[in-house]
Amino acid sequence: DEKKEPEKPEEKSHRQWMCAIIATLSLFTMGMIVGWTSPTIPKFGLDPDAPALDDDQISWVVSLVYTGGIFSPLATGLIMDRYGRKAGLIFTSVEAILSWIVILFSKTAIGIYIARFLGGTVGGSAFTVVPIYICEIATPRVRGALNSITLIMAWCGVLFEYAVGPYVSYYNLNTLSGIVSLVVLLLTFLIPESPYYYVMINQHDQAAKSLAWLRCSTTEDIRPEMVTIEETVTNAMKHKKGMGDLLGTAGNRKAFLMTSVLVVVTRLSGISVIIAYAAQAVPDTGMITTDQCAMLICGTWIVVGLMATSFISYFERKPLTVVSCLGCSFAAFIYGLYHFLQIHSTLDLTVYSWVPLASLLLHSAFFAVGLGCVPNMIQGELFPSNIKGVASGITCIVIAITSFLTNKLYYPVEAWIGLYANYWFYAVSCIFGALFTHYVLLETRNKTLQEIQIELTGQKIVRTDVTPSTKDTPIV
């Protein structure tokens, strides 16, 4: 009888999911910090524990959260390269706890500014370490789906503030948010270190144990994957880490260009402004309150974000991002058109009062499909191990600067030109993003991190093993 080869055991990924969910809770705390302004702005000057702030001070409260993200990514990148990816996650939770402590005891605008700056460091740190940690613990089959939950967690954090904030006092909202951040810190101690980091510091036995646990297997069974990881890290670590190395090779320059442009387009789509001013961006129609509108917008991010994990499983990253950019552009144009007609026409738009909410819901849906998840995947996939910390940190600085500018200029542009000018600018930015994605962005779906590095250098990928499944594992 002809001998049959033993069937390869089915890949188990539940431990990868558990670690990814705990790691992305850092994004949940970031979402709480970013979403805090929408239900809190009406409390300033009315709640006995909240300071009285004018419009200019409120614009600084909204914008300063992103300045913290300018300074924390490089520090977090150094921590995760020197002490481990897990240490970077712990550092992120500590930053969140400190920001809530400061905001609890602040009675002046200056105190709120300091707290918001500290809160901004959470976003910079989280977006630096989380995508890298997930990419380094996940198999190609589930990497896309695991990365897609980063923004879902952030939306859940925003929704927490939207849902709880309007119905509790200023003090209680801040206390609850701080308690959640403390729970996230404690959970972070339960997950293992990245096998890639262990190899970087020459602890190969620990790397094998970590990888075997993540794969629900034995150190013998994961030996082929360990060899691949060792080769990838060894090749990357031959070069020094730093800014010079980030731009020193053609492959790294391509990766930096793709990542930076994509994250800038993400912020110029208007998402930062919508998060911060969700309750104020929709007129009160009398049918539902503005706070309920904000929850509906955030709920759309979460539901479509979950559905997007299936889209990522069946479609490549580039088409999804192009569709996402075009959809966001259309929605932003319609929202701007409504406000343009309000100012520059004599039309009675009362019957069309539903258009702003519908436009923002459409924007939320299209954003979640591609722009909400693909940039985070790209950030963790494109850079080699030796510069991931620095590259991810600089990318997050780019995000922070772009977010700060879009939020700080929101009120001045509205006063100088009109609210519509903001959203028409977002529409044009998304068109540019669609063109850049189509012509420049590298497709990374179903490729190992080693294969991505080969393709960035212009070499041809030669696969000697069985081609992996064309389907990632979706959440839904």
Side-chain angles (χ1 to χ4, degrees), residues 144-145 148 303-317 319-320 323 365-366 368-370 373-374 377 445 470-476:
S148 67
V303 173
V304 180
L306 288 168
M307 294 171 62
T309 63
S310 294
F311 302 152
I312 289 169
S313 302
Y314 292 99
F315 302 101
E316 294 185 336
R317 322 296 200 218
L320 284 176
V323 170
F366 276 105
V369 167
C373 53
V374 172
M377 299 179 196
R445 178 173 176 261
T470 57
K471 296 181 180 180
D472 295 333
T473 299
I475 300 175
V476 180

Side-chain angles (χ1 to χ4, degrees), residues 211-271:
L211 187 63
W213 186 88
L214 288 164
R215 302 294 183 262
C216 303
S217 187
T218 64
T219 53
E220 288 298 321
D221 291 336
I222 52 87
R223 189 60 200 161
E225 186 177 358
M226 267 299 299
V227 171
T228 301
I229 293 174
E230 289 168 350
E231 290 176 352
T232 303
V233 173
T234 300
N235 291 334
M237 296 303 291
K238 288 178 182 177
H239 308 282
K240 294 181 179 180
K241 300 177 281 186
M243 281 293 298
D245 205 42
L246 176 61
L247 303 175
T249 66
N252 290 347
R253 288 194 295 271
K254 289 179 185 177
F256 183 69
L257 173 67
M258 294 175 191
T259 306
S260 298
V261 172
L262 203 57
V263 298
V264 167
V265 170
T266 299
R267 295 297 150 176
L268 293 185
S269 70
I271 192 63

Side-chain angles (χ1 to χ4, degrees), residues 196-209:
Y196 279 78
Y197 174 72
Y198 278 133
V199 174
M200 287 172 62
I201 60 174
N202 292 318
Q203 293 188 15
H204 295 263
D205 290 341
Q206 289 295 327
K209 290 178 183 178

Side-chain angles (χ1 to χ4, degrees), residues 245-426:
D245 205 42
L246 176 61
L247 303 175
T249 66
N252 290 347
R253 288 194 295 271
K254 289 179 185 177
F256 183 69
L257 173 67
M258 294 175 191
T259 306
S260 298
V261 172
L262 203 57
V263 298
V264 167
V265 170
T266 299
R267 295 297 150 176
L268 293 185
S269 70
I271 192 63
S272 300
V273 168
I274 295 173
I275 293 173
Y277 300 104
Q280 291 77 40
V282 182
D284 191 350
T285 61
M287 297 178 63
I288 58 176
T289 66
T290 55
D291 288 322
Q292 291 170 337
C293 289
M295 286 188 277
L296 191 59
I297 292 170
C298 192
T300 303
W301 287 324
I302 295 170
V303 173
V304 180
L306 288 168
M307 294 171 62
T309 63
S310 294
F311 302 152
I312 289 169
S313 302
Y314 292 99
F315 302 101
E316 294 185 336
R317 322 296 200 218
K318 290 179 65 172
L320 284 176
T321 308
V322 170
V323 170
S324 179
C325 287
L326 294 178
C328 288
S329 178
F330 175 75
F333 173 78
I334 295 298
Y335 186 91
L337 180 62
Y338 176 88
H339 287 279
F340 176 83
L341 293 176
Q342 266 193 330
I343 299 173
H344 298 288
S345 77
T346 58
L347 294 174
D348 183 7
L349 300 178
T350 305
V351 70
Y352 300 108
S353 59
W354 53 270
V355 169
L357 176 59
S359 300
L360 293 182
L361 289 176
L362 187 66
H363 186 285
S364 301
F366 276 105
F367 182 87
V369 167
L371 287 174
C373 53
V374 172
N376 296 297
M377 299 179 196
I378 296 298
Q379 180 184 337
E381 292 172 337
L382 290 185
F383 295 108
S385 299
N386 66 317
I387 60 167
K388 274 189 177 180
V390 173
S392 187
I394 293 175
T395 301
C396 289
I397 291 174
V398 173
I399 294 174
I401 293 173
T402 310
S403 299
F404 172 78
L405 291 175
T406 54
N407 280 277
K408 192 68 185 78
L409 294 175
Y410 183 73
Y411 276 149
V413 170
E414 179 183 3
W416 297 336
I417 306 175
L419 184 62
Y420 63 89
N422 285 300
Y423 285 87
W424 283 357
F425 174 75
Y426 305 152

Side-chain angles (χ1 to χ4, degrees), residues 151-173:
L151 261 292
I152 294 174
M153 277 294 186
W155 304 142
C156 288
V158 173
L159 182 60
F160 176 87
E161 298 292 318
Y162 285 1
V164 176
Y167 307 106
V168 300
S169 68
Y170 178 84
Y171 179 86
N172 288 339
L173 177 62

